[in-house]
């Protein structure tokens, strides 16, 4: 499984790098990576993560279409603000989703880490939704989620994936800075 995991990791890293650069090619690269990672997570009995990859596939198609509708003249997606009420609602929905999925995985599967995996899954979906909607806040949530994922994957001996997620933290910090710069009004000389 190590070669498949490595391929999935490289594709994922490339997709996140393209996202940080606000390039729409992040979506097709991401789609291939989540399909490969579905197999990796089923093999590791991280079923919530496997389901997450399938949900990501749907959100990737949505994000790709949405981004193409909001491209700037420079070929990069335009950043959009996240209203506070929407942020609170999405966090509440993520929490409820985590509890429901965690209960289901604990009760009806042999999932290795049902509650933690479910929480990471739910909040990854929130982050992915925010990313598709072009919100800077997605990067903050990705940083938190990815830090916890590193520990989970080390625990499950998915070392390539744990290194990938450590790299995702670095990419998320870079993406956050890049998107913050893109959101600032450009000062032009007169």
């Amino acid at each position: 499984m190590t070669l498949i995991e490595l391929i999935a990791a490289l594709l994922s890293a490339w997709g996140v790098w393209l996202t940080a650069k606000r390039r729409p090619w992040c979506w097709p690269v991401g789609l291939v990576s989540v399909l490969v990672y579905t197999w990796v997570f089923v093999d590791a009995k991280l079923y919530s993560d496997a389901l997450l990859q399938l949900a990501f596939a749907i959100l990737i198609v949505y994000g790709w279409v949405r981004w193409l509708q909001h491209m700037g003249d420079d070929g990069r997606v335009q950043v959009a603000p996240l209203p506070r009420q929407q942020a609170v609602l999405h966090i509440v929905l993520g929490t409820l989703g985590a509890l429901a999925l965690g209960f289901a995985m604990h009760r009806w599967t042999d999932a290795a880490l049902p509650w933690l995996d479910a929480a990471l899954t739910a909040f990854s979906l929130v982050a992915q939704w925010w990313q598709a909607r072009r919100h800077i806040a997605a990067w903050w949530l990705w940083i938190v989620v990815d830090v916890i994922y590193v520990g989970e994957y080390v625990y499950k001996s998915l070392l390539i994936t744990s290194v990938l997620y450590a790299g995702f933290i670095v990419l998320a910090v870079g993406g956050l800075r890049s998107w913050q710069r893109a959101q600032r009004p450009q000062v032009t000389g007169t």
Side-chain angles (χ1 to χ4, degrees), residues 44-67:
K45 294 187 177 185
L46 292 171
Y47 303 127
S48 291
D49 273 335
L51 288 172
L52 175 63
Q53 301 310 303
L54 297 176
F56 275 163
I58 294 166
L59 286 172
I60 283 170
V61 172
Y62 169 77
W64 194 0
V65 169
R66 182 135 177 101
W67 274 33

Side-chain angles (χ1 to χ4, degrees), residues 73-90:
D73 293 336
D74 63 354
R76 298 171 191 257
V77 72
Q78 298 167 334
V79 176
L82 175 61
R84 182 180 302 266
Q85 285 182 317
Q86 282 185 19
V88 170
L89 174 63
H90 297 158

Side-chain angles (χ1 to χ4, degrees), residues 5 9 37 40-41 149-150 153 158-166:
E5 184 184 0
Y37 254 120
V40 171
F41 291 134
Y149 265 129
V150 169
Y153 294 143
L158 294 171
L159 299 182
I160 292 170
T161 304
S162 65
V163 170
L164 170 68
Y165 276 73

Side-chain angles (χ1 to χ4, degrees), residues 13-172:
W14 186 25
V16 172
W17 181 82
L18 288 167
T19 304
K21 299 294 183 186
R22 301 178 11 248
R23 297 289 185 186
W25 278 103
C26 65
W27 300 107
V29 171
L31 184 59
V32 173
S33 75
V34 299
L35 294 176
V36 175
Y37 254 120
T38 300
W39 178 264
V40 171
F41 291 134
V42 167
D43 186 63
K45 294 187 177 185
L46 292 171
Y47 303 127
S48 291
D49 273 335
L51 288 172
L52 175 63
Q53 301 310 303
L54 297 176
F56 275 163
I58 294 166
L59 286 172
I60 283 170
V61 172
Y62 169 77
W64 194 0
V65 169
R66 182 135 177 101
W67 274 33
L68 290 175
Q69 296 169 348
H70 298 280
M71 298 301 293
D73 293 336
D74 63 354
R76 298 171 191 257
V77 72
Q78 298 167 334
V79 176
L82 175 61
R84 182 180 302 266
Q85 285 182 317
Q86 282 185 19
V88 170
L89 174 63
H90 297 158
I91 295 298
V92 168
L93 290 173
T95 301
L96 293 174
L99 293 171
L101 183 58
F103 175 79
M105 291 296 159
H106 175 74
R107 176 98 167 121
W108 293 301
T109 75
D110 63 344
L113 301 167
W115 295 100
L116 177 62
D117 197 29
L120 292 171
T121 295
F123 287 106
S124 291
L125 288 171
V126 172
Q128 187 67 28
W129 176 256
W130 288 352
Q131 201 89 62
R133 308 279 303 170
R134 306 170 291 118
H135 302 311
I136 291 174
W139 292 111
W140 288 108
L141 188 51
W142 279 127
I143 291 166
V144 171
V145 167
D146 290 346
V147 165
I148 299 168
Y149 265 129
V150 169
E152 179 185 61
Y153 294 143
V154 167
Y155 177 79
K156 286 300 295 174
S157 299
L158 294 171
L159 299 182
I160 292 170
T161 304
S162 65
V163 170
L164 170 68
Y165 276 73
F168 280 170
I169 296 165
V170 173
L171 288 170

